[in-house]
mmCIF file of all heavy atoms in Angstrom:
data_model
loop_
_atom_site.group_PDB
_atom_site.id
_atom_site.type_symbol
_atom_site.label_atom_id
_atom_site.label_comp_id
_atom_site.label_asym_id
_atom_site.label_seq_id
_atom_site.Cartn_x
_atom_site.Cartn_y
_atom_site.Cartn_z
ATOM 1 N N ALA A 1 0.819 -1.209 0.000
ATOM 2 C CA ALA A 1 0.000 0.000 0.000
ATOM 3 C C ALA A 1 0.853 1.259 0.000
ATOM 4 O O ALA A 1 0.477 2.278 -0.585
ATOM 5 C CB ALA A 1 -0.925 -0.006 1.216
ATOM 6 N N GLY A 2 1.992 1.223 0.672
ATOM 7 C CA GLY A 2 2.833 2.413 0.757
ATOM 8 C C GLY A 2 3.588 2.704 -0.521
ATOM 9 O O GLY A 2 3.705 3.852 -0.943
ATOM 10 N N GLY A 3 4.120 1.647 -1.153
ATOM 11 C CA GLY A 3 4.935 1.851 -2.338
ATOM 12 C C GLY A 3 4.178 1.791 -3.642
ATOM 13 O O GLY A 3 4.736 2.108 -4.697
ATOM 14 N N GLY A 4 2.913 1.377 -3.606
ATOM 15 C CA GLY A 4 2.143 1.292 -4.831
ATOM 16 C C GLY A 4 2.597 0.168 -5.739
ATOM 17 O O GLY A 4 2.545 0.290 -6.969
ATOM 18 N N VAL A 5 3.052 -0.940 -5.150
ATOM 19 C CA VAL A 5 3.538 -2.082 -5.927
ATOM 20 C C VAL A 5 2.595 -3.265 -5.728
ATOM 21 O O VAL A 5 2.255 -3.614 -4.597
ATOM 22 C CB VAL A 5 4.964 -2.481 -5.499
ATOM 23 C CG1 VAL A 5 5.400 -3.752 -6.231
ATOM 24 C CG2 VAL A 5 5.935 -1.347 -5.768
ATOM 25 N N ILE A 6 2.171 -3.866 -6.826
ATOM 26 C CA ILE A 6 1.364 -5.086 -6.785
ATOM 27 C C ILE A 6 2.118 -6.143 -7.577
ATOM 28 O O ILE A 6 2.452 -5.932 -8.740
ATOM 29 C CB ILE A 6 -0.031 -4.863 -7.391
ATOM 30 C CG1 ILE A 6 -0.780 -3.766 -6.622
ATOM 31 C CG2 ILE A 6 -0.835 -6.163 -7.362
ATOM 32 C CD1 ILE A 6 -2.110 -3.372 -7.236
ATOM 33 N N SER A 7 2.433 -7.258 -6.929
ATOM 34 C CA SER A 7 3.125 -8.336 -7.621
ATOM 35 C C SER A 7 2.456 -9.659 -7.302
ATOM 36 O O SER A 7 1.844 -9.818 -6.239
ATOM 37 C CB SER A 7 4.609 -8.373 -7.231
ATOM 38 O OG SER A 7 4.769 -8.620 -5.848
ATOM 39 N N TRP A 8 2.539 -10.589 -8.224
ATOM 40 C CA TRP A 8 1.929 -11.889 -8.007
ATOM 41 C C TRP A 8 2.736 -12.938 -8.755
ATOM 42 O O TRP A 8 3.585 -12.637 -9.597
ATOM 43 C CB TRP A 8 0.467 -11.902 -8.430
ATOM 44 C CG TRP A 8 0.188 -11.619 -9.872
ATOM 45 C CD1 TRP A 8 -0.034 -12.524 -10.869
ATOM 46 C CD2 TRP A 8 0.070 -10.328 -10.505
ATOM 47 N NE1 TRP A 8 -0.282 -11.899 -12.056
ATOM 48 C CE2 TRP A 8 -0.230 -10.552 -11.871
ATOM 49 C CE3 TRP A 8 0.188 -9.019 -10.053
ATOM 50 C CZ2 TRP A 8 -0.390 -9.506 -12.778
ATOM 51 C CZ3 TRP A 8 0.022 -7.983 -10.948
ATOM 52 C CH2 TRP A 8 -0.270 -8.234 -12.288
ATOM 53 N N MET A 9 2.518 -14.189 -8.392
ATOM 54 C CA MET A 9 3.304 -15.259 -8.987
ATOM 55 C C MET A 9 2.482 -16.538 -9.083
ATOM 56 O O MET A 9 1.487 -16.708 -8.376
ATOM 57 C CB MET A 9 4.555 -15.527 -8.142
ATOM 58 C CG MET A 9 4.261 -16.110 -6.771
ATOM 59 S SD MET A 9 5.740 -16.715 -5.902
ATOM 60 C CE MET A 9 6.192 -18.088 -6.958
ATOM 61 N N ASN A 10 2.922 -17.426 -9.951
ATOM 62 C CA ASN A 10 2.431 -18.801 -10.010
ATOM 63 C C ASN A 10 3.613 -19.703 -9.701
ATOM 64 O O ASN A 10 4.544 -19.822 -10.515
ATOM 65 C CB ASN A 10 1.866 -19.128 -11.394
ATOM 66 C CG ASN A 10 0.502 -18.510 -11.609
ATOM 67 O OD1 ASN A 10 -0.294 -18.429 -10.688
ATOM 68 N ND2 ASN A 10 0.240 -18.063 -12.830
ATOM 69 N N PRO A 11 3.654 -20.338 -8.512
ATOM 70 C CA PRO A 11 4.820 -21.138 -8.135
ATOM 71 C C PRO A 11 4.914 -22.444 -8.914
ATOM 72 O O PRO A 11 3.911 -23.062 -9.246
ATOM 73 C CB PRO A 11 4.596 -21.402 -6.641
ATOM 74 C CG PRO A 11 3.117 -21.291 -6.450
ATOM 75 C CD PRO A 11 2.640 -20.271 -7.444
ATOM 76 N N SER A 12 6.144 -22.845 -9.183
ATOM 77 C CA SER A 12 6.407 -24.116 -9.846
ATOM 78 C C SER A 12 6.361 -25.251 -8.824
ATOM 79 O O SER A 12 6.271 -25.031 -7.610
ATOM 80 C CB SER A 12 7.793 -24.079 -10.489
ATOM 81 O OG SER A 12 8.791 -23.989 -9.473
ATOM 82 N N GLY A 13 6.470 -26.487 -9.315
ATOM 83 C CA GLY A 13 6.520 -27.626 -8.413
ATOM 84 C C GLY A 13 7.731 -27.575 -7.498
ATOM 85 O O GLY A 13 7.636 -27.871 -6.299
ATOM 86 N N ALA A 14 8.898 -27.200 -8.040
ATOM 87 C CA ALA A 14 10.101 -27.108 -7.217
ATOM 88 C C ALA A 14 9.949 -26.034 -6.149
ATOM 89 O O ALA A 14 10.370 -26.215 -5.001
ATOM 90 C CB ALA A 14 11.313 -26.811 -8.100
ATOM 91 N N HIS A 15 9.337 -24.928 -6.519
ATOM 92 C CA HIS A 15 9.082 -23.855 -5.560
ATOM 93 C C HIS A 15 8.222 -24.365 -4.402
ATOM 94 O O HIS A 15 8.533 -24.143 -3.228
ATOM 95 C CB HIS A 15 8.374 -22.698 -6.279
ATOM 96 C CG HIS A 15 8.147 -21.492 -5.443
ATOM 97 N ND1 HIS A 15 8.734 -20.278 -5.723
ATOM 98 C CD2 HIS A 15 7.405 -21.293 -4.321
ATOM 99 C CE1 HIS A 15 8.363 -19.394 -4.820
ATOM 100 N NE2 HIS A 15 7.550 -19.993 -3.966
ATOM 101 N N ALA A 16 7.154 -25.062 -4.717
ATOM 102 C CA ALA A 16 6.272 -25.600 -3.679
ATOM 103 C C ALA A 16 7.004 -26.627 -2.820
ATOM 104 O O ALA A 16 6.824 -26.682 -1.598
ATOM 105 C CB ALA A 16 5.040 -26.229 -4.325
ATOM 106 N N ASP A 17 7.849 -27.453 -3.458
ATOM 107 C CA ASP A 17 8.603 -28.469 -2.714
ATOM 108 C C ASP A 17 9.510 -27.834 -1.670
ATOM 109 O O ASP A 17 9.576 -28.291 -0.520
ATOM 110 C CB ASP A 17 9.464 -29.302 -3.673
ATOM 111 C CG ASP A 17 8.658 -30.282 -4.497
ATOM 112 O OD1 ASP A 17 7.456 -30.467 -4.201
ATOM 113 O OD2 ASP A 17 9.229 -30.853 -5.446
ATOM 114 N N PHE A 18 10.240 -26.796 -2.062
ATOM 115 C CA PHE A 18 11.176 -26.180 -1.118
ATOM 116 C C PHE A 18 10.449 -25.370 -0.045
ATOM 117 O O PHE A 18 10.931 -25.267 1.083
ATOM 118 C CB PHE A 18 12.210 -25.337 -1.868
ATOM 119 C CG PHE A 18 13.329 -26.155 -2.431
ATOM 120 C CD1 PHE A 18 13.408 -26.392 -3.791
ATOM 121 C CD2 PHE A 18 14.281 -26.724 -1.603
ATOM 122 C CE1 PHE A 18 14.426 -27.175 -4.317
ATOM 123 C CE2 PHE A 18 15.303 -27.502 -2.112
ATOM 124 C CZ PHE A 18 15.378 -27.738 -3.484
ATOM 125 N N SER A 19 9.286 -24.818 -0.371
ATOM 126 C CA SER A 19 8.488 -24.160 0.662
ATOM 127 C C SER A 19 8.067 -25.164 1.721
ATOM 128 O O SER A 19 8.124 -24.899 2.935
ATOM 129 C CB SER A 19 7.254 -23.500 0.038
ATOM 130 O OG SER A 19 7.620 -22.507 -0.897
ATOM 131 N N ASP A 20 7.636 -26.344 1.274
ATOM 132 C CA ASP A 20 7.258 -27.410 2.199
ATOM 133 C C ASP A 20 8.473 -27.899 2.994
ATOM 134 O O ASP A 20 8.376 -28.187 4.189
ATOM 135 C CB ASP A 20 6.641 -28.567 1.410
ATOM 136 C CG ASP A 20 6.218 -29.719 2.309
ATOM 137 O OD1 ASP A 20 5.282 -29.544 3.105
ATOM 138 O OD2 ASP A 20 6.832 -30.795 2.219
ATOM 139 N N ALA A 21 9.640 -27.975 2.336
ATOM 140 C CA ALA A 21 10.863 -28.413 3.011
ATOM 141 C C ALA A 21 11.255 -27.443 4.116
ATOM 142 O O ALA A 21 11.774 -27.846 5.161
ATOM 143 C CB ALA A 21 11.998 -28.551 1.998
ATOM 144 N N VAL A 22 11.014 -26.151 3.890
ATOM 145 C CA VAL A 22 11.299 -25.159 4.932
ATOM 146 C C VAL A 22 10.434 -25.433 6.159
ATOM 147 O O VAL A 22 10.925 -25.412 7.298
ATOM 148 C CB VAL A 22 11.036 -23.732 4.405
ATOM 149 C CG1 VAL A 22 10.983 -22.725 5.551
ATOM 150 C CG2 VAL A 22 12.105 -23.331 3.399
ATOM 151 N N ASP A 23 9.160 -25.693 5.946
ATOM 152 C CA ASP A 23 8.265 -26.008 7.069
ATOM 153 C C ASP A 23 8.805 -27.169 7.896
ATOM 154 O O ASP A 23 8.888 -27.101 9.124
ATOM 155 C CB ASP A 23 6.877 -26.380 6.538
ATOM 156 C CG ASP A 23 5.880 -25.241 6.643
ATOM 157 O OD1 ASP A 23 6.281 -24.144 7.024
ATOM 158 O OD2 ASP A 23 4.703 -25.471 6.341
ATOM 159 N N LYS A 24 9.158 -28.242 7.223
ATOM 160 C CA LYS A 24 9.622 -29.441 7.927
ATOM 161 C C LYS A 24 10.936 -29.179 8.659
ATOM 162 O O LYS A 24 11.163 -29.681 9.772
ATOM 163 C CB LYS A 24 9.764 -30.594 6.936
ATOM 164 C CG LYS A 24 8.420 -31.090 6.397
ATOM 165 C CD LYS A 24 8.603 -32.205 5.395
ATOM 166 C CE LYS A 24 7.265 -32.879 5.054
ATOM 167 N NZ LYS A 24 6.262 -31.965 4.526
ATOM 168 N N THR A 25 11.813 -28.390 8.052
ATOM 169 C CA THR A 25 13.109 -28.101 8.670
ATOM 170 C C THR A 25 12.955 -27.220 9.898
ATOM 171 O O THR A 25 13.552 -27.495 10.952
ATOM 172 C CB THR A 25 14.033 -27.433 7.637
ATOM 173 O OG1 THR A 25 14.236 -28.326 6.534
ATOM 174 C CG2 THR A 25 15.377 -27.082 8.253
ATOM 175 N N VAL A 26 12.174 -26.165 9.783
ATOM 176 C CA VAL A 26 11.995 -25.246 10.915
ATOM 177 C C VAL A 26 11.314 -25.950 12.082
ATOM 178 O O VAL A 26 11.717 -25.797 13.246
ATOM 179 C CB VAL A 26 11.194 -24.004 10.479
ATOM 180 C CG1 VAL A 26 10.768 -23.172 11.692
ATOM 181 C CG2 VAL A 26 12.022 -23.150 9.524
ATOM 182 N N GLU A 27 10.289 -26.720 11.799
ATOM 183 C CA GLU A 27 9.575 -27.409 12.883
ATOM 184 C C GLU A 27 10.479 -28.386 13.620
ATOM 185 O O GLU A 27 10.455 -28.474 14.852
ATOM 186 C CB GLU A 27 8.341 -28.117 12.312
ATOM 187 C CG GLU A 27 7.255 -27.132 11.889
ATOM 188 C CD GLU A 27 6.140 -27.785 11.085
ATOM 189 O OE1 GLU A 27 6.265 -28.994 10.775
ATOM 190 O OE2 GLU A 27 5.161 -27.085 10.760
ATOM 191 N N ARG A 28 11.324 -29.125 12.889
ATOM 192 C CA ARG A 28 12.230 -30.064 13.545
ATOM 193 C C ARG A 28 13.333 -29.338 14.311
ATOM 194 O O ARG A 28 13.722 -29.757 15.408
ATOM 195 C CB ARG A 28 12.833 -31.017 12.504
ATOM 196 C CG ARG A 28 11.854 -32.115 12.084
ATOM 197 C CD ARG A 28 12.332 -32.860 10.848
ATOM 198 N NE ARG A 28 11.502 -34.046 10.598
ATOM 199 C CZ ARG A 28 10.301 -34.027 10.069
ATOM 200 N NH1 ARG A 28 9.748 -32.861 9.731
ATOM 201 N NH2 ARG A 28 9.621 -35.142 9.877
ATOM 202 N N ALA A 29 13.854 -28.271 13.749
ATOM 203 C CA ALA A 29 14.897 -27.515 14.441
ATOM 204 C C ALA A 29 14.363 -26.924 15.743
ATOM 205 O O ALA A 29 15.031 -26.955 16.786
ATOM 206 C CB ALA A 29 15.436 -26.414 13.537
ATOM 207 N N ALA A 30 13.151 -26.374 15.707
ATOM 208 C CA ALA A 30 12.557 -25.809 16.917
ATOM 209 C C ALA A 30 12.375 -26.883 17.984
ATOM 210 O O ALA A 30 12.655 -26.646 19.170
ATOM 211 C CB ALA A 30 11.219 -25.148 16.584
ATOM 212 N N ARG A 31 11.925 -28.051 17.571
ATOM 213 C CA ARG A 31 11.730 -29.130 18.535
ATOM 214 C C ARG A 31 13.054 -29.535 19.186
ATOM 215 O O ARG A 31 13.122 -29.761 20.396
ATOM 216 C CB ARG A 31 11.083 -30.329 17.853
ATOM 217 C CG ARG A 31 10.714 -31.451 18.827
ATOM 218 C CD ARG A 31 9.871 -32.524 18.172
ATOM 219 N NE ARG A 31 10.565 -33.210 17.117
ATOM 220 C CZ ARG A 31 10.236 -33.153 15.824
ATOM 221 N NH1 ARG A 31 9.213 -32.408 15.435
ATOM 222 N NH2 ARG A 31 10.913 -33.826 14.924
ATOM 223 N N LEU A 32 14.118 -29.585 18.397
ATOM 224 C CA LEU A 32 15.428 -29.932 18.937
ATOM 225 C C LEU A 32 15.942 -28.854 19.893
ATOM 226 O O LEU A 32 16.737 -29.143 20.797
ATOM 227 C CB LEU A 32 16.428 -30.144 17.796
ATOM 228 C CG LEU A 32 16.222 -31.429 16.974
ATOM 229 C CD1 LEU A 32 17.029 -31.376 15.689
ATOM 230 C CD2 LEU A 32 16.601 -32.657 17.794
ATOM 231 N N LEU A 33 15.505 -27.625 19.696
ATOM 232 C CA LEU A 33 15.878 -26.528 20.591
ATOM 233 C C LEU A 33 14.917 -26.401 21.765
ATOM 234 O O LEU A 33 15.033 -25.466 22.558
ATOM 235 C CB LEU A 33 15.905 -25.207 19.810
ATOM 236 C CG LEU A 33 17.059 -25.032 18.824
ATOM 237 C CD1 LEU A 33 16.811 -23.827 17.927
ATOM 238 C CD2 LEU A 33 18.387 -24.883 19.570
ATOM 239 N N ASP A 34 13.988 -27.344 21.859
ATOM 240 C CA ASP A 34 12.972 -27.333 22.917
ATOM 241 C C ASP A 34 12.166 -26.039 22.892
ATOM 242 O O ASP A 34 11.877 -25.435 23.928
ATOM 243 C CB ASP A 34 13.633 -27.522 24.294
ATOM 244 C CG ASP A 34 12.616 -27.919 25.371
ATOM 245 O OD1 ASP A 34 11.583 -28.515 25.013
ATOM 246 O OD2 ASP A 34 12.850 -27.620 26.561
ATOM 247 N N ALA A 35 11.823 -25.615 21.688
ATOM 248 C CA ALA A 35 11.036 -24.393 21.499
ATOM 249 C C ALA A 35 9.804 -24.719 20.674
ATOM 250 O O ALA A 35 9.827 -25.611 19.822
ATOM 251 C CB ALA A 35 11.861 -23.317 20.798
ATOM 252 N N LYS A 36 8.734 -24.004 20.940
ATOM 253 C CA LYS A 36 7.537 -24.156 20.118
ATOM 254 C C LYS A 36 7.725 -23.409 18.804
ATOM 255 O O LYS A 36 8.413 -22.388 18.739
ATOM 256 C CB LYS A 36 6.308 -23.618 20.847
ATOM 257 C CG LYS A 36 5.685 -24.599 21.838
ATOM 258 C CD LYS A 36 4.326 -24.106 22.277
ATOM 259 C CE LYS A 36 3.668 -25.089 23.218
ATOM 260 N NZ LYS A 36 3.348 -26.361 22.555
ATOM 261 N N ALA A 37 7.097 -23.921 17.774
ATOM 262 C CA ALA A 37 7.056 -23.231 16.483
ATOM 263 C C ALA A 37 5.658 -23.384 15.912
ATOM 264 O O ALA A 37 5.076 -24.467 15.970
ATOM 265 C CB ALA A 37 8.082 -23.800 15.521
ATOM 266 N N LYS A 38 5.125 -22.317 15.383
ATOM 267 C CA LYS A 38 3.824 -22.351 14.735
ATOM 268 C C LYS A 38 3.975 -21.856 13.302
ATOM 269 O O LYS A 38 4.299 -20.694 13.060
ATOM 270 C CB LYS A 38 2.821 -21.471 15.490
ATOM 271 C CG LYS A 38 1.474 -21.312 14.773
ATOM 272 C CD LYS A 38 0.822 -22.647 14.466
ATOM 273 C CE LYS A 38 -0.439 -22.483 13.603
ATOM 274 N NZ LYS A 38 -1.012 -23.788 13.206
ATOM 275 N N SER A 39 3.763 -22.746 12.355
ATOM 276 C CA SER A 39 3.824 -22.371 10.952
ATOM 277 C C SER A 39 2.548 -21.630 10.552
ATOM 278 O O SER A 39 1.442 -22.087 10.842
ATOM 279 C CB SER A 39 3.988 -23.604 10.075
ATOM 280 O OG SER A 39 3.825 -23.273 8.710
ATOM 281 N N LYS A 40 2.708 -20.509 9.875
ATOM 282 C CA LYS A 40 1.571 -19.758 9.334
ATOM 283 C C LYS A 40 1.599 -19.731 7.812
ATOM 284 O O LYS A 40 0.859 -18.976 7.189
ATOM 285 C CB LYS A 40 1.573 -18.330 9.889
ATOM 286 C CG LYS A 40 1.283 -18.248 11.385
ATOM 287 C CD LYS A 40 -0.066 -18.847 11.748
ATOM 288 C CE LYS A 40 -1.210 -18.141 11.063
ATOM 289 N NZ LYS A 40 -2.526 -18.756 11.398
ATOM 290 N N ARG A 41 2.489 -20.526 7.226
ATOM 291 C CA ARG A 41 2.608 -20.676 5.781
ATOM 292 C C ARG A 41 2.550 -19.327 5.069
ATOM 293 O O ARG A 41 3.321 -18.432 5.372
ATOM 294 C CB ARG A 41 1.538 -21.638 5.263
ATOM 295 C CG ARG A 41 1.668 -23.053 5.768
ATOM 296 C CD ARG A 41 3.005 -23.694 5.460
ATOM 297 N NE ARG A 41 3.355 -23.759 4.087
ATOM 298 C CZ ARG A 41 3.218 -24.840 3.320
ATOM 299 N NH1 ARG A 41 2.704 -25.944 3.808
ATOM 300 N NH2 ARG A 41 3.598 -24.826 2.067
ATOM 301 N N ASP A 42 1.629 -19.170 4.095
ATOM 302 C CA ASP A 42 1.621 -17.949 3.283
ATOM 303 C C ASP A 42 0.562 -16.949 3.740
ATOM 304 O O ASP A 42 -0.071 -16.276 2.921
ATOM 305 C CB ASP A 42 1.423 -18.293 1.808
ATOM 306 C CG ASP A 42 0.180 -19.142 1.575
ATOM 307 O OD1 ASP A 42 -0.482 -19.512 2.561
ATOM 308 O OD2 ASP A 42 -0.117 -19.434 0.400
ATOM 309 N N THR A 43 0.382 -16.837 5.050
ATOM 310 C CA THR A 43 -0.515 -15.812 5.592
ATOM 311 C C THR A 43 -0.106 -14.432 5.069
ATOM 312 O O THR A 43 1.077 -14.133 4.944
ATOM 313 C CB THR A 43 -0.441 -15.813 7.136
ATOM 314 O OG1 THR A 43 -0.936 -17.066 7.608
ATOM 315 C CG2 THR A 43 -1.259 -14.680 7.739
#
C-alpha cells in the first residue's frame, strides 16, 4: 500500500517443494531446541 507495488506469482513444483521443506526443517529444528514453532505458511 505504501509503495504502490502489486506483484503476483504462479509457483512451480520445485518452488512448492522447497516451501514445504522449509516447514519441515523449521519445525524439527525448533523441537530440537525445545522451542515451540507455529507455521503460518503464506498468511
Side-chain angles (χ1 to χ4, degrees):
V5 175
I6 300 174
S7 62
W8 61 98
M9 67 169 293
N10 284 324
S12 66
H15 184 116
D17 286 350
F18 279 107
S19 299
D20 180 67
V22 166
D23 259 6
K24 291 179 169 58
T25 299
V26 169
E27 289 169 355
R28 282 167 170 77
R31 186 170 64 246
L32 288 166
L33 288 168
D34 196 26
K36 277 192 178 294
K38 173 56 187 175
S39 170
K40 292 301 299 179
R41 296 303 302 261
D42 54 357
T43 296

